[in-house]
Amino acid sequence: GKAVLNVSFFANVRAKLRPLLAKHRLRLGDGMKVRIFGHLDVFAPTGRLGLKMSGVDPRFTLGDLALARDEVVRRLVASGLLDANRRHSLPVVPLRVGVVTSVGSAAWHDFHDELQRSGFGFRLRVVDTRVQGEWAVPMVTASIRALARRDDLDVIVVIRGGGARNELAVFDAESIAVAIATAPVPVLTGLGHETDRSVADEVAHSAFKTPTACAASLVEAVAGALATAERAWSSTVALALRSLADAEAGTARRTDRLHGLTRTAADRAATALAHRVERVAASAPRQLDRADAAVAGRADRVVRAAPARLAAAERRLDTLATHVQLLDPAVLLARGWSITRRADGAAVRSVHDAPVGTALVTTVADGTITSTVTPEHPQEPSR
């Protein structure tokens, strides 16, 4: 079996080590690699050998964390992922934000309150995630990947509060770094440490020391976009006002010029009209005399030609009266003609207009004859 050595870590020793751990920003916890100092001790009743712990070597733990971190960075550089996320452009107005954090923590409240105070319409999609402890690495990785699959986010933010250096080593994990590097939108980190940079910070689009600073960067980006839009609007309004002023000035100049041209044209027209009136007044008597002479001449010709034209008209009327009299139906009937109509008044012009059984009315000079069409009987042979 495995050799087991019990280590005793008493409260008085823990109190003595607390300043040393705090100086190096370390906190003892499960899974932490440490080098310890102590002396052997035998428990007399059982003869069991143990070790009474008297100190730790922080340089060993820090060196182990640094080696692991450097190895992850080396692999990221080799695969071209170290600056992959920084190649994404931050949206002009990053209002749709995915957040990976422990909801309810001070980090979450600091981040949320900073955005809330801005008054801008940020829309947050938050994934409640453990950011320290045994399950932190897989949970943070899964949360980043889940947000990366959405198509309604402008940025993803990963935040947590400050802590011991070995606890922040969670964000040196390669799986978290790869999830950040391959995200389709910029990833921002605010991991709450003032001096150290984690691998997540190195691979992120932008890294901030605190969650508040991370939120402030988003507020600043939106405020900058708003200021740019307002400047553009102000410039547009100013340009429009200048254009209107120029147009009004141009219109006024054209109006003045048109007024002058109109007055000149009216004066010219009045002068020309006056000249024409004078010419008309001067030539009117002559024109009237010529017109009177022409009318008198035409009147004489009409008077001389009237008897001949009247005689010709009378002869033409006599001729027309004779033709009309010849075409008068009464005259034709008197000469032996007749007109046959059906009962409906239609004239019979063909045998096809009067089939057998048709009632006929025949008009002659002195009255009418009513008849009915009968079948044709063959003539009897002559005897």
Side-chain angles (χ1 to χ4, degrees), residues 97-103 108 111 125-131 136 139-147 156-160 171 187-188 190-191:
V97 184
V99 186
V100 177
T101 190
S102 176
V103 176
W108 159 247
F111 179 83
R125 301 289 184 268
V126 187
V127 181
D128 190 7
T129 309
R130 292 189 62 178
V131 292
M139 289 188 69
V140 171
T141 302
S143 298
I144 295 172
R145 293 194 183 281
L147 291 174
I156 296 172
V157 170
V158 182
I159 55 173
R160 64 153 288 164
F171 293 93
V187 178
L188 282 58
L191 301 179

Side-chain angles (χ1 to χ4, degrees), residues 270-311:
T271 302
L273 181 61
H275 292 324
R276 289 186 176 89
V277 169
E278 291 176 357
R279 288 198 299 273
V280 170
S283 62
R286 293 193 299 274
Q287 295 289 342
L288 289 174
D289 291 342
R290 284 198 294 271
D292 288 342
V295 170
R298 289 186 177 88
D300 290 340
R301 287 197 297 274
V302 170
V303 171
R304 289 194 299 270
R309 293 195 177 188
L310 286 173

Side-chain angles (χ1 to χ4, degrees), residues 224-240:
L226 179 61
T228 300
E230 289 178 346
R231 286 194 299 271
W233 172 252
S234 298
S235 299
T236 301
V237 171
L239 179 60

Side-chain angles (χ1 to χ4, degrees), residues 351-367:
V351 293
H352 300 294
D353 294 338
V356 175
T358 302
L360 302 176
V361 177
T362 301
T363 302
V364 293
D366 57 352

